[in-house]
Amino acid sequence: MTGTAELNVDKGSEESATDGSAPRGKDAPPPVDLRHRARDAHHTGEDAVAAQLPPDDGSDRPDTPDRPPERPDQHGNGQNERPDDERPDDEQPDNERPDDEQPEAGEPGGEYLAVDEPLLPPRAHRPSDLLRFLAGLLGIVAVFVLAQVAVSTTSGIESDITINAKRIPDLLSTIAALVSSVAVLAVPLAFAVERLIKRDGLRVADGVLASVLAYGVSLGVDWWVAASAPEEIRNALTQFPPGDGEQLTDPVHGYLAPVIAYMTAVGMSSRPRWRVALWIVVILSGATELVNGYTTPLSLLLTVLIGWSVAYGTLYAIGSPNIRPTGQHLMIGLRKVGFTPSAAHTAPDGPGGTRRYLVVQQQGPLLDVHIIDREQQASGFFYRAWRRLRLRSVAVRRSPQSLRQALEQEALIAYAAAASGARAPQLVATSELGPDAAILVYENVAGRTLDELADEEVTDAVMTSFWTSVATLHERRIAHRRLTGESLLVMDDRTGCLINLSGGDIAAGDLTLRIDIAQLLTTFALRTGPERAVAAATEALGPTRIAEALPLLQPVGLSRQTRGDLKRMTKERKAAAKALALKQVASGERTQQQAEEDIAQANEDLLSKLRGQILQIAPEAPLAPAKLERLKPKTLIMLVALTFAAYLALTTIRPDQFKVSQMNWAWAAAALAAAAASYVAAAMSLTGFVPEKLPFGRTVAAQVAGSFVKLVAPAAVGGIALNTRYLQKAGIRPVQAAASVGASQLAGLGGHLLLLFAFGLITGTQTNGDLGASRAVIIGVLSAAVLALVVAAVAPLRRFVVTRVRSLFFGVIPRMLDLMQTPRKLVTGFGGILLLTLSFTACLDASVQAFGGGGHVTYSAVAVVFLTANAAGSAIPTPGGIGPVEIALIGALTAAGVPLTAATPAVFLYRLLTFWLPVLPGWIAYNVLQRRSAL
């Protein structure tokens, strides 16, 4: 049975949720409560559903829910019937009831249809409301910018309106103003009364709330424009009224903005007459105000945008009334297209939030019904927008623009799949369920999805069955585009059925079909391993087609669910391998080197194993990954980082604080040389803790590239990640690369503390025996010791620290033991750490000397300031330590005796040379190293 019908349901009112149910009197049967809900629309066959329903013998049992009494005309024995004259009025047969008590058209003969479903949430937060709100805010900003920039244009428009307004007769303008002032309040009030009569008070309440908020925002904008706005904005939004008025007009209309917010929040898309009437009144009111000289064009535009933005902001914050159809609406819709439903179960939502019901008929097979509506279409909007921006169009399916398009698209792909001969559910009917929803009726297919099977239940025969169906679709150029575990329904131990075809494509290109193969390969490999997955695919498709999919085996081309499964599997395997290696090394079963090899093997991701398996059966397969991305995240991050850097440079480094005219250029040059030497020292500190040989020039370039990375990450985090990546690209295994960087960081921490203690003692002895600075260092060391004792005393903290330290020592200590065999490497590493600290200290000291502050502080004191303040500022995780580092350094220098007038420009010079100036060279080095596959 196929057909298409339209069911008009007024879901805009509160009573719409019960329109589909039959009238119920005091003796009418109560709703049927089914004892169990189907876990999945595809899980349950007809026998299983029948077992879940109450017995059909009409008996009352304690464990059986109430159900409607049997009708005599259905069961026909007549033993329990009473004569018509003995029945109460409300039990008279339907054909003898008064006309006003007969069931309405479309109701199922007055009987109650059981629907087992949870209550729908009363409100829904729509992404479209958020987008409109943001668009309104951008419009408001644009109005203020236009008012400040296009001064001549706005004043010219105002003068033209004033001149032409004098040609309008005074009587006409007076009558128009009177009519509009009355209508702008009367029409919304009349609409509210009409809605209340129809019991749609919820929408009216939303409109009233939006209008109140809009009025408050209007008052706030009026106050800001009058008190502190730039003169250009004030002149563009206000003017002196005609006559002898001495007070400026309001920048925002105090009554128009609330009316516009009210109209927008109430929602009038389904009430065109009221919408037209209200907009005519608003336009007439605004025009009369403009002609009579009580407002300006930009003021009117700002009023409209404020009302519009506040309305959509309110709707998104509190949620719009949920107009999604209920199960009762679904049952009526099925009756409209010729089905005879008796009960329905809700099933888990399909991909994209599609609601599903398993419907039992009085006569006929089970039905699997899908509901698509506007709420479901809006879900996931931002993720789809990001994917569409990031990926080429061939890798992303375009979403339908309207509900009708979505219905036609899913129906088309279902009919095409059935015509191709692939095993897929049969679509038997479609129907529009009011203006905001539609249903698609499929024949139910019993089975379990691949996600619900145990790994041992995924047989080769089942995988071959799915591959055969996919091959059949591809022969007709049909792409599924969603071959994840939830879309693979296993009917028995040898047969599979493809479901969730709503996201498919007709007349798909070769690249889209190859993405399908790559997706299904990964889906099976996650469950059975790459060997069995590739073997089953090769048996069904042949090695050539499998080899063509190899360039598409990349995370960006796979589904969101699959990418998450891949990350989770890699993380779990890595953690398990590391724990096992620690245990085996501790027990002596494996050597340290063997354990590291095991961990490195566990770090190999599943896609790499799939590629290797494909290359075994097709060595000629192309290796270069297909270009699916049009905008890479790192490109976007670079643009954001450069913009952010430019903004911070312009706002934090002010020329008046530099006092360039008072700067000693010789000391500034010395500071620049010390800053440049720090990159050589950083390269030494890294290479010294790597037993393998590294090209020193390229290592220095990597440290320069780290200056760019600091813009978007905290200094320590960005440097660690970049150095680890650099070592991996240099051919060092991930575990060993992380251990080398960890050893460098651990040695750097020890060197930092030792230098702090040493310079603190030197500073104390240099200040005539005053050990104030050294006392501060000792207090800091004692504080660290107390903190260590607290951690040791608290069990959860102790376990956390011990776990992390064991993991650290597992990789770092063996790496250090390897380095001890080459003392030259250790000298290079520790010498680099010492030189790095001395370089930064020399740069800061030279900056202080450049502004005449050297006579107030010694080099050792500057070293203490750098080691303490820089570490304290970097502890706050801001990109590059921007803000906290400057504050900490200026405060520490001032406390050490440097005048504030010298400490402030000295710190800004130091940060300019060590942070801001290297950004451009760092960006160049970063891109060059990436092109050479060194990062």
Side-chain angles (χ1 to χ4, degrees):
M1 178 187 303
T2 61
T4 302
E6 180 177 356
L7 176 66
N8 293 319
V9 180
D10 184 13
K11 295 186 289 295
S13 59
E14 291 177 343
E15 71 269 18
S16 63
T18 59
D19 284 346
S21 60
R24 298 174 58 188
K26 62 182 180 179
D27 295 330
V32 175
D33 293 328
L34 302 180
R35 283 177 292 174
H36 304 284
R37 186 188 310 162
R39 290 184 55 219
D40 194 310
H42 304 291
H43 273 209
T44 315
E46 186 171 359
D47 295 338
V49 175
Q52 292 181 1
L53 296 176
D56 200 24
D57 57 2
S59 61
D60 294 327
R61 301 178 183 178
D63 58 343
T64 303
D66 296 335
R67 58 183 288 116
E70 298 175 354
R71 295 179 52 148
D73 56 350
Q74 290 178 340
H75 299 279
N77 54 20
Q79 295 178 1
N80 296 325
E81 294 185 38
R82 285 178 289 179
D84 292 346
D85 56 356
E86 295 181 8
R87 294 178 180 169
D89 291 341
D90 56 355
E91 292 188 15
Q92 294 296 324
D94 289 343
N95 58 359
E96 297 182 10
R97 290 182 182 180
D99 293 340
D100 57 351
E101 295 183 11
Q102 291 294 334
E104 297 180 6
E107 293 183 355
E111 59 181 315
Y112 186 83
L113 299 177
V115 181
D116 179 26
E117 65 174 349
L119 291 176
L120 293 175
R123 291 184 174 272
H125 300 274
R126 299 173 180 169
S128 57
D129 292 337
L130 177 60
L131 289 178
R132 292 187 179 102
F133 170 68
L134 296 176
L137 290 183
L138 291 177
I140 293 172
V141 173
V143 167
F144 287 132
V145 172
L146 183 64
Q148 196 166 8
V149 174
V151 178
S152 301
T153 303
T154 55
S155 59
I157 294 175
E158 292 176 13
S159 61
D160 292 341
I161 293 175
T162 303
I163 293 173
N164 291 299
K166 296 179 180 178
R167 302 176 183 177
I168 300 176
D170 293 340
L171 179 61
L172 180 61
S173 61
T174 302
I175 294 176
L178 179 61
V179 171
S180 63
S181 61
V182 174
V184 78
L185 298 177
V187 174
L189 183 61
F191 177 76
V193 172
E194 188 262 349
R195 284 290 91 196
L196 290 174
I197 292 175
K198 292 189 175 182
R199 293 187 293 175
D200 195 10
L202 192 60
R203 288 183 178 272
V204 175
D206 293 344
V208 172
L209 176 61
S211 64
V212 171
L213 294 177
Y215 183 72
V217 172
S218 302
L219 292 179
V221 173
D222 288 346
W223 174 83
W224 174 75
V225 171
S228 56
E231 186 177 356
E232 294 83 359
I233 294 179
R234 188 181 303 112
N235 293 336
L237 297 177
T238 61
Q239 64 181 10
F240 288 103
D244 297 332
E246 297 181 356
Q247 188 175 2
L248 292 172
T249 58
D250 293 333
V252 181
H253 284 269
Y255 63 90
L256 270 186
V259 170
I260 294 171
Y262 172 83
M263 293 167 48
T264 307
V266 167
M268 299 183 175
S269 58
S270 60
R271 302 171 184 86
R273 293 182 179 179
W274 281 105
R275 184 176 69 246
V276 171
L278 282 171
W279 275 113
I280 288 176
V281 169
V282 169
I283 293 173
L284 179 62
S285 178
T288 55
E289 291 288 317
L290 187 62
V291 169
N292 292 331
Y294 290 100
T295 189
T296 65
L298 284 183
S299 175
L300 276 179
L301 180 58
L302 181 63
T303 300
V304 173
L305 289 173
I306 287 178
W308 196 65
S309 302
V310 170
Y312 283 116
T314 303
L315 289 178
Y316 185 76
I318 66 174
S320 302
N322 199 338
I323 59 174
R324 305 185 78 176
T326 64
Q328 289 296 327
H329 294 140
L330 166 66
M331 304 292 262
I332 298 173
L334 291 175
R335 292 256 177 175
K336 287 286 186 179
V337 291
F339 295 100
T340 57
S342 61
H345 300 269
T346 56
D349 289 348
T354 302
R355 283 194 294 157
R356 290 176 169 176
Y357 289 84
L358 183 64
V359 178
V360 181
Q361 298 189 84
Q362 295 175 1
Q363 295 179 351
L366 292 175
L367 301 176
D368 184 12
V369 183
H370 299 186
I371 297 182
I372 54 176
D373 52 36
R374 300 194 188 280
E375 299 294 339
Q376 175 256 327
Q377 278 190 296
S379 64
F381 170 82
F382 295 105
Y383 174 73
R384 294 197 303 269
W386 164 242
R387 293 277 291 180
R388 194 170 295 119
L389 174 66
R390 179 185 178 186
L391 302 181
R392 294 167 56 195
S393 57
V394 69
V396 182
R397 181 176 177 272
R398 186 173 296 276
S399 301
Q401 300 298 318
S402 66
L403 185 67
R404 185 72 185 183
Q405 288 179 352
L407 174 64
E408 293 173 349
Q409 184 172 284
E410 183 170 348
L412 177 62
I413 191 71
Y415 289 135
S420 70
R423 190 172 282 107
Q426 179 72 37
L427 179 67
V428 295
T430 61
S431 174
E432 287 188 351
L433 201 62
D436 298 312
I439 58 173
L440 296 101
V441 185
Y442 292 88
E443 291 182 354
N444 176 253
V445 180
R448 291 183 295 165
T449 62
L450 187 72
D451 288 341
E452 295 167 335
L453 295 181
D455 290 345
E456 57 271 13
E457 295 181 274
V458 184
T459 64
D460 293 341
V462 167
M463 290 192 290
T464 302
S465 174
F466 283 120
W467 279 116
T468 303
S469 293
V470 170
T472 303
L473 290 179
H474 286 187
E475 288 175 0
R476 301 294 183 89
R477 314 300 295 181
I478 302 172
H480 190 288
R481 280 192 174 273
R482 195 180 279 143
L483 290 170
T484 57
E486 63 180 350
S487 300
L488 306 176
L489 184 70
V490 180
M491 302 167 62
D492 52 47
D493 59 354
R494 302 189 60 85
T495 310
C497 178
L498 299 176
I499 59 176
N500 297 331
L501 284 96
S502 59
D505 271 346
I506 304 294
D510 289 337
L511 189 61
T512 305
L513 300 180
R514 289 158 58 195
I515 291 176
D516 256 7
I517 297 175
Q519 174 64 63
L520 190 55
L521 269 173
T522 309
T523 299
F524 283 143
L526 284 166
R527 303 300 306 276
T528 65
E531 295 82 5
R532 286 181 59 193
V534 173
T538 305
E539 180 183 352
L541 302 182
T544 302
R545 292 187 62 185
I546 300 302
E548 292 174 348
L550 189 146
L552 281 305
L553 285 171
Q554 45 184 308
V556 71
L558 303 176
S559 70
R560 190 178 191 177
Q561 174 186 341
T562 304
R563 293 197 303 273
D565 291 341
L566 287 172
K567 291 180 180 178
R568 183 167 54 254
M569 171 181 280
T570 302
K571 185 177 180 180
E572 291 174 353
R573 291 183 57 186
K574 184 177 179 180
K578 203 166 187 177
L580 180 61
L582 283 170
K583 183 178 179 181
Q584 290 178 339
V585 170
S587 62
E589 299 178 16
R590 307 278 286 179
T591 64
Q592 183 66 42
Q593 184 177 0
Q594 290 174 334
E596 290 182 359
E597 291 177 355
D598 293 342
I599 294 175
Q601 187 176 3
N603 285 339
E604 185 180 6
D605 63 285
L606 182 66
L607 295 183
S608 298
K609 294 182 179 180
L610 270 176
R611 296 188 196 101
Q613 198 67 28
I614 292 174
L615 288 174
Q616 290 183 11
I617 63 170
E620 71 284 356
L623 293 176
K627 294 183 178 179
L628 299 178
E629 293 178 292
R630 66 158 62 98
L631 177 65
K632 296 185 177 181
K634 65 181 181 181
T635 304
L636 186 61
I637 291 174
M638 285 184 183
L639 294 175
V640 173
L642 289 175
T643 305
F644 185 61
Y647 169 76
L648 290 177
L650 294 175
T651 54
T652 60
I653 303 179
R654 290 161 35 190
D656 59 330
Q657 292 180 330
F658 255 123
K659 300 181 180 179
V660 179
S661 59
Q662 303 177 13
M663 185 173 64
N664 187 315
W665 288 96
W667 279 111
L672 178 61
S678 66
Y679 294 99
V680 178
M684 292 173 58
S685 67
L686 179 63
T687 56
F689 292 94
V690 180
E692 296 81 3
K693 186 176 181 180
L694 296 174
F696 190 74
R698 183 172 291 183
T699 306
V700 174
Q703 305 312 304
V704 176
S707 300
F708 173 72
V709 177
K710 293 176 185 178
L711 282 174
V712 292
V717 176
I720 292 173
L722 184 135
N723 286 331
T724 304
R725 179 69 172 172
Y726 169 70
L727 294 180
Q728 291 177 4
K729 287 292 186 178
I732 301 173
R733 291 180 177 179
V735 175
Q736 295 175 341
S740 294
V741 175
S744 176
Q745 294 292 319
L746 187 61
L749 176 61
H752 188 97
L753 294 176
L754 288 175
L755 288 173
L756 177 60
F757 190 78
F759 279 118
L761 292 177
I762 294 172
T763 302
T765 58
Q766 285 180 344
T767 55
N768 298 324
D770 182 9
L771 298 179
S774 59
R775 186 181 296 113
V777 174
I778 294 173
I779 291 174
V781 173
L782 291 177
S783 300
V786 171
L787 179 62
L789 291 175
V790 170
V791 170
V794 180
L797 289 177
R798 184 176 63 251
R799 286 193 295 267
F800 176 81
V801 172
V802 168
T803 303
R804 295 299 185 272
V805 170
R806 284 183 60 191
S807 176
L808 175 65
F809 274 69
F810 174 75
V812 171
I813 299 303
R815 202 65 165 161
M816 296 293 290
L817 294 176
D818 292 340
L819 289 170
M820 288 183 180
Q821 301 176 8
T822 54
R824 183 173 56 85
K825 281 282 187 179
L826 289 178
V827 171
T828 303
F830 285 104
I833 291 173
L834 178 63
L835 181 59
L836 182 63
T837 302
L838 295 178
S839 298
F840 280 126
T841 303
C843 182
L844 181 59
D845 183 67
S847 300
V848 174
Q849 297 285 352
F851 289 96
H856 303 276
V857 66
T858 63
Y859 180 84
S860 58
V862 172
V864 173
V865 166
F866 167 75
L867 292 170
T868 54
N870 189 72
S874 299
I876 301 176
T878 60
I882 299 171
V885 169
E886 286 84 354
I887 295 173
L889 287 174
I890 293 173
L893 285 175
T894 305
V898 180
L900 183 62
T901 54
T904 301
V907 170
F908 277 113
L909 177 60
Y910 165 76
R911 291 290 281 173
L912 175 67
L913 297 176
T914 59
F915 183 77
W916 295 107
L917 195 61
V919 167
L920 183 58
W923 177 71
I924 296 173
Y926 186 84
N927 282 276
V928 170
L929 291 175
Q930 277 202 324
R931 291 194 193 99
R932 297 180 180 178
S933 298
L935 273 183

